[in-house]
Amino acid sequence: MTRQELPKAYDFKSTEPRIYAMWEAGGFFKPWNDPNKADFDPNVEPFVICIPPPNVTGELHIGHPMFISIEDLMVRYHRMKGYSTLWVPGTDHAGIATQLMVERDLLKNEEVTREELGREEFVKRTWEWKRKYGSIITNQIRRLGASCDWSRERFTLDPGLSRAVREAFVRLYKKGLIYRGPRLINWSPGLKTAVSDLEVEYSEEAANLYYFKYMLAPAGGGSLDPNSYIPVATIRPETILGDTAVAVHPDDERYKKYIGKSVIVPMLNREIPVIADEYVSMEFGTGALKITPGHDPNDYAIAQRHNLPIISMLDAEAKVNENGGPYKGQDRFEARKNLWSDMKKAGLVIKSEPYRTTIPRSQRGGEIVEPMISTQWFVKIEPLAKAALEAVKDGRIKIVPERFEKTYFNWLENIKDWCISRQLWWGHRIPVWYCPDHHMTVGREDPTECATCGSKDIRQDEDVLDTWFSSGLWPFSTLGWPDETPDYKYFYPTTYMETGYDILFFWVARMIMMGLEFTGHVPFRIVYLHGLVRDEIGRKISKTTGNVIDPLVLMDEFGTDALRFTMLVGSTPGNDTNIGSKRVESNRNFANKLWNAGRFVINAISSLTPPSAPLSQAGRGDGGEGSYTLADSWIWARLQQLVRDVERLFQTFQYGQAGQQIYDFIWADFADWYVEIAKQELAEGGPRAARAADTLARVFDISLRLLHPFTPFVTEEIWGHLRSALRESSLKDIAIDWPDALIVAAWPEERQLEGWEADALQNFGKIQDLVRSIRNARAEKNVKPSKKLGAVFVDENHAPLYRNYLPMISTLSSTDLEQTFVYETEYQPSDAVTSLVAGSTDIYLSGIESSEEDKVRLEKELTEVRSHIERLEKLLAGDFANRAPVALVQKEREKLEGYRNTAEKIEAQLK
RNA sequence: GGCUUCUUAGCUCAGUUGGUUAGAGCAUUCGGUUUACAUCCGAAGGGUCGUGGGUUCGAGUCCCUCAGAAGCCACCA
């Protein structure tokens, strides 16, 4: 393609799909060292990430671009560094979420419930749904540019992964770490399933605290004494139906006399004991606590201590069951209302008052979760947690940012057993079979008879496993475990785990526990946690707030690269990020800037005539024909500096900073300074043009490599054009060993700056000061751009100093300073009226009038300079001179000297 | 109740072994259609780095106090 064909604006819409298809077809997403192939080298170090699997029925939301951008950056960086890189993609069956979605869909389209459909048919339909919609999310992830190896895509319900789940369950069971039994669990009445502690969210809400009387049961069958009662307060009056005791503090003088006696449950007229337990707070409420062991965790604990009976008074839908007497069949809230009004009629009510309390709600449906006694499967978690704790404590796993290690420890140290059974149909069915005699058969293969009694009449457990049980195996189940596959042997343990801090407990901790338990290895070395994406003003993104940001819309409007760059830059690990379209837009502009810089470079290369003399390597310029200018040396040195900085920042996971620095380099240094200077050189033609084009090409190439992990599409596209242009030009040697695509091009190597590079940085800095001063003066003086100014450099005695700047200027180039920024350099004392002081630079401009404003400005400047002098004098007189590093002290001394000179000059001018 | 994070320019945020005059994007003002880019270029204004202390030659950065915001975990009915 020639340069004329490159459009003025970067067309991401047509470019992105084409580039992605090229990468995929080229096999660049696959590890180059494949353990399944003959030429495999086991000594090559792999770099492996497993994707946090999105829900198979999900669609792209703003959280996806965040983790895809970071992970793709990590993967692309390591791929370019030469690692055999594997990013395993896949999706999660997401039990509850998917089942709900399919149920809703069935109800809407066919007006049929899952119960009406039956389990087998429902699961069949869900698979159909998965086949139909499961590729939406993976295609959207492709659109984000994710360089995953799609040939290794996995789904948590795949046969292989299901086998892993079965293996894991059986091992834990045989080890005695899985048990089944009735326990108080969190029950979601709408979903009609148990959920784990983690799936319950607590929110502070307005409620009522109801005060009522527990009448004392008359001894020996006498009649009730209306003055003998224990006042009790509760938020959930309906639980009265399940009360089995009233507890008071043993030292409570008010109620001591009742301990051991009985009280009467309102409306049910059951007698229950009054017990003493130190758990009860004398200060709170009435100081007496009703005990509902069947529906409250604390009451349950007290009941266990006192051997109290446990009554369940709610059914699976949270309606009152047969234990609720007259309230049977009523919904829990209905029963609450009715019970209260009945008690009012019976004269048992004291009062009710508004009260704020924390309400447990289901993470999924949002409904109020009910603690209930239910027979469920649990993982005895302590031994696993202990190992997982150790792995982070001894550094086998490092969490970034480090502060989350504390959170992790805290959670694992206080962990409770994990309820893993769910009363759902979509998921891994629990691999346990029961015979009529209730013997359990647990096996890797589906059994045909009871292992204990041989009965052929066996039935599999109805429940499925918590989704997170299978996700916990993800880093190794995706690689073939429990089989010792080549992939598993080579790629496991994986390298990084990158995900949001919100699933540290749900997922990361469980992967660590299960990884250690089943494979004997940590599943990954580094856990990198990113923050949550919020809206422009920091609010949580939710449908109810109406602030949903659709990444697809942003990508349509500004391109994938712009969105990715926005995600990566300006965010720090573990901290939430606010995203608005403004930032994405400005990054779209950056992509376009890059594109146009590319067009300029390609143009420069293509219009080059062969040079008369060969070029030397980039290096210090001596001003001669075939060598490099100060500007060439400077941009090259700046680039080396950038490579070093980026490397350091990548090593310390500061991707945002790295991106920012690359951005600044490309826009401010390369485009705004170097390209402008190069224009002059290119216009000269001959060796100068060749030299400039050579620098443009080399610097731009390395810039693209550095930027590629951030904005893969646009960099790949331009780089391809650059390579073609170079290969057709007299500079073809530059691109001689470039590979077929930027995605597999070598990462720039960092090195120490050489002496000439440090000099170039310093000298060019002086030029920049100079030029900025001139621009500044022009702007302040409102000098028309067409008007040429004379510039003269003088010392304090107005002796021309131009000569002193000559070497610098001539190595910058013979043309750029004079032609681009200043037009004449003759000394014309009569015109030389404005002094510009910029650091150590003193120049006079001719052709503009001096004014009162100049005087004011100079005075202001003098005040500033004097304050610096004062500060530095004080500093150098103090302990600083003795204690601070010598180089630093020296630097400050030079600075002071500079300020003193400047002050003198300004003073002279003001006279 | 325990733990954590945040508070820097009008807005959104960077600022990682403590070391020049604290930066960016957006917004604002002024000036520019110089043939890579108006999705651009040049310039300017704008900050007691939440408060008060401490450590240090030196603090936006480290320690403590307080105030405000957010989050996680555990929760007294």
Side-chain angles (χ1 to χ4, degrees):
Chain A
M1 200 186 269
T2 60
R3 68 190 169 84
Q4 283 84 1
E5 291 170 63
L6 296 181
K8 277 195 165 189
Y10 167 55
D11 176 15
F12 56 83
K13 274 195 174 136
S14 69
T15 305
E16 289 173 5
R18 177 166 45 77
I19 292 286
Y20 196 84
M22 181 274 282
W23 286 329
E24 212 170 352
F28 300 126
F29 296 165
K30 296 180 186 209
W32 60 264
N33 188 37
D34 190 328
N36 303 292
K37 292 197 173 138
D39 58 352
F40 171 65
D41 179 356
N43 298 314
V44 171
E45 192 181 343
F47 177 85
V48 188
I49 295 185
C50 292
I51 203 169
N55 291 358
V56 68
T57 57
E59 288 199 37
L60 208 65
H61 61 71
I62 199 69
H64 293 115
M66 180 56 118
F67 78 79
I68 295 291
S69 300
I70 298 172
E71 287 168 33
D72 198 41
L73 174 136
M74 292 168 162
V75 165
R76 284 177 190 268
Y77 166 68
H78 284 92
R79 186 184 291 121
M80 290 174 82
K81 286 209 111 180
Y83 289 87
S84 175
T85 305
L86 173 63
W87 187 8
V88 182
T91 47
D92 194 294
H93 68 279
I96 296 178
T98 305
Q99 178 164 322
L100 276 179
M101 197 171 276
V102 176
E103 272 187 84
R104 217 172 293 146
D105 190 64
L106 282 171
L107 204 59
K108 197 175 140 207
N109 297 330
E110 302 178 34
E111 292 182 3
V112 63
T113 66
R114 79 175 150 108
E115 285 83 1
E116 285 163 0
L117 219 51
R119 181 167 192 155
E120 201 178 326
E121 181 62 19
F122 179 80
V123 169
K124 205 180 117 199
R125 296 293 192 92
T126 310
W127 272 104
E128 278 169 21
W129 175 284
K130 186 259 169 188
R131 273 187 284 273
K132 200 165 158 192
Y133 299 109
S135 58
I136 291 178
I137 187 72
T138 49
N139 284 331
Q140 287 171 333
I141 285 171
R142 281 182 171 88
R143 224 192 124 182
L144 283 166
S147 58
C148 327
D149 182 355
W150 294 103
S151 71
R152 286 177 164 89
E153 183 181 349
R154 296 290 183 268
F155 175 52
T156 45
L157 282 177
D158 280 348
L161 277 76
S162 298
R163 209 158 66 76
V165 168
R166 176 78 63 99
E167 177 73 22
F169 187 96
V170 171
R171 282 202 201 175
L172 287 177
Y173 182 84
K174 299 239 149 114
K175 224 175 156 177
L177 292 177
I178 282 187
Y179 64 91
R180 181 177 189 252
R183 293 286 186 286
L184 192 72
I185 48 87
N186 304 294
W187 184 263
S188 175
L191 305 169
K192 281 184 271 179
T193 179
V195 294
S196 72
D197 295 344
L198 276 179
E199 288 164 283
V200 179
E201 288 172 348
Y202 295 87
S203 64
E204 200 186 295
E205 296 174 23
N208 280 310
L209 191 54
Y210 300 89
Y211 293 79
F212 64 97
K213 301 172 184 173
Y214 252 107
M215 302 309 296
L216 210 68
S223 57
L224 281 177
D225 173 2
N227 295 320
S228 291
Y229 63 85
I230 301 179
V232 173
T234 182
I235 287 164
R236 300 184 295 159
E238 72 278 12
T239 60
I240 288 169
L241 303 172
D243 281 354
T244 56
V246 168
V248 297
H249 195 277
D251 302 333
D252 196 324
E253 293 303 331
R254 293 169 295 177
Y255 308 125
K256 238 178 175 171
K257 55 189 174 206
Y258 299 131
I259 295 169
K261 301 200 166 154
S262 290
V263 289
I264 297 171
V265 177
M267 309 328 291
L268 294 185
N269 298 320
R270 279 193 284 117
E271 278 192 25
I272 56 172
V274 178
I275 58 166
D277 195 290
E278 295 195 338
Y279 169 81
V280 182
S281 156
M282 287 188 273
E283 287 76 40
F284 190 86
T286 63
L289 177 63
K290 61 190 271 316
I291 304 296
T292 321
H295 299 281
D296 184 283
N298 294 312
D299 294 3
Y300 182 78
I302 291 172
Q304 302 234 297
R305 283 202 285 276
H306 296 269
N307 281 319
L308 296 171
I310 297 170
I311 298 175
S312 286
M313 42 73 59
L314 291 174
D315 66 12
E317 291 176 17
K319 286 184 178 155
V320 177
N321 65 16
E322 64 280 1
N323 293 324
Y327 302 94
K328 186 185 172 202
Q330 295 182 8
D331 174 77
R332 50 184 161 161
F333 303 116
E334 200 186 339
R336 176 179 302 178
K337 228 172 72 191
N338 293 336
L339 192 62
W340 186 247
S341 68
D342 290 348
M343 283 164 66
K344 211 176 227 168
K345 282 178 205 148
L348 295 171
V349 161
I350 299 170
K351 62 174 176 177
S352 82
E353 59 185 24
Y355 185 72
R356 282 197 79 79
T357 188
T358 47
I359 306 284
R361 287 185 180 276
S362 157
Q363 184 196 37
R364 203 44 74 178
E367 61 175 340
I368 296 178
V369 162
E370 209 61 49
M372 291 216 220
I373 301 288
S374 174
T375 298
Q376 301 287 344
W377 287 93
F378 297 87
V379 173
K380 203 172 158 192
I381 208 78
E382 255 188 83
L384 303 182
K386 215 177 153 208
L389 216 45
E390 277 310 303
V392 175
K393 281 204 166 137
D394 65 22
R396 275 175 294 155
I397 295 177
K398 183 176 146 72
I399 300 180
V400 180
E402 209 178 307
R403 63 185 144 90
F404 282 103
E405 292 189 354
K406 201 166 179 178
T407 317
Y408 174 87
F409 295 147
N410 205 354
W411 187 70
L412 284 178
E413 278 159 7
N414 301 296
I415 197 165
K416 287 185 198 142
D417 283 356
W418 175 17
C419 175
I420 50 167
S421 45
R422 296 288 180 277
Q423 288 63 55
L424 305 172
W425 290 348
W426 179 242
H428 299 96
R429 201 156 161 182
I430 289 181
V432 177
W433 284 259
Y434 308 93
C435 70
D437 293 333
H438 306 292
H439 301 133
M440 285 196 274
T441 305
V442 178
R444 290 177 174 84
E445 305 299 330
D446 290 6
T448 53
E449 57 178 46
C450 174
T452 311
C453 65
S455 166
K456 304 274 185 203
D457 181 15
I458 53 170
R459 215 183 67 252
Q460 187 173 4
D461 195 298
E462 295 291 326
D463 294 350
V464 300
L465 287 163
D466 181 4
T467 296
W468 297 104
F469 190 92
S470 52
S471 320
L473 311 173
W474 188 250
F476 40 100
S477 64
T478 50
L479 293 171
W481 185 89
D483 295 332
E484 293 266 321
T485 61
D487 268 13
Y488 176 70
K489 279 192 280 188
Y490 180 55
F491 294 119
Y492 189 81
T494 67
T495 321
Y496 287 1
M497 169 48 58
E498 196 286 334
T499 191
Y501 66 77
D502 54 330
I503 51 173
L504 178 62
F505 304 143
F506 275 108
W507 194 42
V508 178
R510 283 162 180 172
M511 281 189 289
I512 296 174
M513 291 192 276
M514 293 171 111
L516 288 165
E517 173 67 21
F518 298 126
T519 70
H521 293 104
V522 293
F524 30 73
R525 323 277 189 200
I526 305 272
V527 175
Y528 177 100
L529 298 170
H530 63 251
L532 270 36
V533 181
R534 294 165 176 280
D535 76 359
E536 225 159 359
I537 51 173
R539 294 177 304 180
K540 214 169 185 174
I541 289 178
S542 76
K543 279 181 187 156
T544 43
T545 319
N547 60 347
V548 172
I549 302 168
D550 187 347
L552 295 167
V553 171
L554 289 175
M555 287 157 84
D556 285 341
E557 197 170 353
F558 303 118
T560 301
D561 287 329
L563 178 61
R564 288 177 53 132
F565 201 73
T566 307
M567 289 289 170
L568 291 165
V569 171
S571 70
T572 37
N575 285 354
D576 293 353
T577 317
N578 300 353
I579 292 288
S581 62
K582 272 279 159 45
R583 283 175 58 199
V584 186
E585 184 181 357
S586 78
N587 288 324
R588 183 272 316 263
N589 296 352
F590 176 53
N592 193 60
K593 183 76 182 178
L594 189 75
W595 172 258
N596 277 293
R599 287 174 64 221
F600 178 84
V601 173
I602 288 162
N603 184 10
I605 294 161
S606 307
S607 30
L608 215 53
T609 47
S612 50
L615 295 161
S616 60
Q617 276 300 104
R620 176 195 272 282
D622 57 11
E625 273 281 286
S627 65
Y628 292 87
T629 64
L630 173 60
D632 293 325
S633 304
W634 165 75
I635 195 69
W636 186 254
R638 270 290 295 127
L639 181 64
Q640 299 315 315
Q641 221 174 20
L642 177 69
V643 170
R644 280 171 62 84
D645 284 344
V646 168
E647 195 62 34
R648 177 180 59 84
L649 292 166
F650 269 35
Q651 293 306 326
T652 50
F653 305 99
Q654 300 177 74
Y655 303 118
Q657 272 300 296
Q660 188 63 51
Q661 295 209 11
I662 299 167
Y663 177 103
D664 289 342
F665 173 82
I666 289 174
W667 203 315
D669 292 330
F670 184 70
D672 289 346
W673 281 93
Y674 185 74
V675 165
E676 291 307 317
I677 289 168
K679 280 177 184 171
Q680 304 293 325
E681 297 290 286
L682 292 167
E684 283 286 304
R688 288 190 177 186
R691 194 181 52 205
D694 176 87
T695 305
L696 283 168
R698 289 178 196 272
V699 172
F700 195 58
D701 164 45
I702 293 174
S703 308
L704 289 175
R705 292 179 195 231
L706 291 175
L707 193 60
H708 183 256
F710 294 86
T711 60
F713 290 109
V714 66
T715 49
E716 181 73 76
E717 176 71 355
I718 303 172
W719 194 80
H721 291 306
L722 176 67
R723 190 189 47 200
S724 313
L726 277 171
R727 286 188 174 165
E728 287 162 19
S729 77
S730 56
L731 297 171
K732 57 169 90 52
D733 284 356
I734 294 177
I736 205 161
D737 57 352
W738 290 7
D740 293 338
L742 178 58
I743 186 176
V744 286
W747 187 254
E749 270 182 53
E750 62 163 332
R751 59 167 172 78
Q752 294 285 338
L753 286 191
E754 290 180 27
W756 63 266
E757 288 173 316
D759 289 347
L761 287 171
Q762 205 182 0
N763 289 331
F764 195 83
K766 286 180 188 163
I767 300 284
Q768 286 179 306
D769 285 346
L770 179 65
V771 170
R772 285 196 187 107
S773 300
I774 296 169
R775 285 175 181 167
N776 191 329
R778 296 187 77 108
E780 276 187 8
K781 292 273 169 195
N782 237 330
V783 177
K784 285 209 165 66
S786 56
K787 174 155 174 134
K788 297 197 173 191
L789 295 181
V792 169
F793 309 89
V794 297
D795 64 14
E796 59 271 26
N797 301 316
H798 284 228
L801 274 178
Y802 180 68
R803 208 170 291 277
N804 295 3
Y805 285 89
L806 262 179
M808 223 155 70
I809 292 163
S810 66
T811 52
L812 172 67
S813 99
S814 59
T815 54
D816 54 41
L817 184 67
E818 289 163 67
Q819 292 190 359
T820 307
F821 305 113
V822 184
Y823 301 89
E824 291 168 22
T825 50
E826 263 176 63
Y827 183 39
Q828 297 168 326
S830 58
D831 293 339
V833 289
T834 305
S835 170
L836 299 153
V837 185
S840 57
T841 300
D842 304 86
I843 64 169
Y844 282 72
L845 291 186
S846 66
I848 50 178
E849 295 296 315
S850 177
S851 69
E852 195 56 32
E853 286 164 27
D854 291 319
K855 210 180 148 196
V856 173
R857 187 172 54 78
L858 280 172
E859 274 165 355
K860 194 178 154 197
E861 204 167 337
L862 184 61
T863 316
E864 212 170 288
V865 169
R866 277 180 176 154
S867 80
H868 284 308
I869 291 172
E870 201 181 323
R871 181 178 59 83
L872 286 172
E873 277 173 344
K874 219 187 235 171
L875 179 67
L876 288 163
D879 274 354
F880 174 76
N882 305 323
R883 301 228 190 170
V886 186
L888 207 65
V889 176
Q890 186 55 30
K891 219 165 145 189
E892 296 298 322
R893 285 221 169 92
E894 281 166 18
K895 216 160 43 181
L896 176 59
E897 209 47 46
Y899 281 128
R900 279 178 177 152
N901 283 338
T902 306
E904 275 174 33
K905 283 167 195 164
I906 297 175
E907 279 159 8
Q909 269 163 42
L910 283 169
K911 272 174 197 167

